[in-house]
DNA sequence: ACACTTTATTCGAAAATCGGAATAAAGCTG
DNA sequence: CAGCTTTATTCCGATTTTCGAATAAAGTGT
């Protein structure tokens, strides 16, 4: 191991911290192709807008995403595609952890997929209206 | 995007949280080849033993490392080699972040490499004495 | 200007994390 | 057994995270 420099390690820890919340991972997952509007994220993830904005701030401050104003709306994008590869590896590792210990506890209520037939993507952001 | 399952995402977040501290990343880095004894970690990382043990507990509870008793000593190993690949990607991403914004603040005192000529690995763990 | 939409920020409380200090626990040696 | 070495755990205070609620800010349309 080539003796990593300290600053890199601290930065790596900051990145990992930004990734250490389920909502933020889901946000990054939604940003995969072409980014997403804030409104879209609140709809798809089913969480209050303020909360989504807070999590987006964390991702922004970690330098992982960019925010671009488009009139009234704001579109967020992943800054470096390598981040998505990283998230993929993280999810793969997580998958083997999960299957390794089988289906144990019954999944927190809060994180269950939203009820009802609210189709994924049924929000009013420009993307979902087919405007862009 | 193949609609990740929630449990995986929560597990991924837990893993990321375990990775979100510089000392823990350095520990994993030290475990790369053949694992390491706790004593070795405290020597190389220059931190109090209790603190190292606490961080090791976090890594254990996240399922990232194993602890194996060998008489008086305990050797820690990375459970899944894919974790090291993940850490590598994390460090690479961190490196571009660091070089991107140049050398700014002068690196916290606490994280500076240890003073003096205490050679890396000059501890009394079985490995460093050439016993194993 | 006013109303409306979309997003960001601030505030406060509950919870989690972190680290030092002290202590416990487990194994070895004599 | 007493003493030593190595590692784990507990306690506690300080800091940080997280989230809801409320509010601010920025842009659009009338």
């Amino acid at each position: 191991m080539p003796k990593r420099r300290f600053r890199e390690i601290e930065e790596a820890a900051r990145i990992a911290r930004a990734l250490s919340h389920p909502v933020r991972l889901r946000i990054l997952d939604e940003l995969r192709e072409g980014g997403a509007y804030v409104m879209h994220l609140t709809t798809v993830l089913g969480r209050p807008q303020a909360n989504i904005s807070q999590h987006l701030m964390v991702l922004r401050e970690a330098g992982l995403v960019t925010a671009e104003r488009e009139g009234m709306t704001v579109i967020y994008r992943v800054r470096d595609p390598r981040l998505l590869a990283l998230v993929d590896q993280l999810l793969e590792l997580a998958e083997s952890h999960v299957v390794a210990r089988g289906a144990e506890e019954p999944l927190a209520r809060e994180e269950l997929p939203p009820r009802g037939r609210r189709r994924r993507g049924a929000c009013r952001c420009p993307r979902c209206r087919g405007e862009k």
Side-chain angles (χ1 to χ4, degrees), chain A:
Chain A
M1 169 49 2
K3 195 157 180 275
R4 298 283 184 179
R5 288 198 312 290
F6 290 82
R7 237 192 282 270
E8 286 176 32
I9 292 187
E10 301 223 331
E11 180 61 21
R14 267 191 293 274
I15 294 174
R17 186 169 299 281
L19 298 181
S20 74
H21 192 290
V23 169
R24 292 197 288 271
L25 287 177
R26 295 218 268 154
I27 286 175
L28 291 176
D29 211 37
E30 288 295 329
L31 298 189
R32 276 179 193 276
E33 28 238 84
Y37 296 88
V38 178
M39 171 194 272
H40 183 82
L41 296 172
T42 76
T43 306
V44 169
L45 303 186
R47 309 200 51 100
Q49 174 269 323
N51 189 254
I52 294 291
S53 254
Q54 288 165 341
H55 284 299
L56 285 170
M57 173 152 51
V58 173
L59 292 172
R60 246 186 297 136
E61 286 178 348
L64 301 184
V65 302
T66 64
E68 195 182 340
R69 177 134 236 148
E70 288 187 0
M72 208 159 45
T73 67
V74 176
I75 187 166
Y76 278 79
R77 295 182 217 272
V78 172
R79 192 186 287 273
D80 185 333
R82 285 178 295 170
L83 177 63
L84 295 177
L86 183 69
V87 171
D88 282 336
Q89 281 204 223
L90 185 58
L91 286 167
E92 268 187 53
L93 203 56
E95 185 180 8
S96 25
H97 280 214
V98 170
V99 310
R101 61 162 184 281
E104 283 172 19
E105 59 262 86
L107 191 55
R109 173 69 188 84
E110 186 204 3
E111 294 295 347
L112 280 173
R115 287 242 180 213
R117 65 229 134 295
R118 178 150 73 266
R119 286 185 322 288
R120 170 191 175 101
C123 87
R124 291 177 307 179
C125 78
R127 193 72 59 76
C128 288
R129 315 175 92 148
E131 292 178 10
K132 297 194 85 110

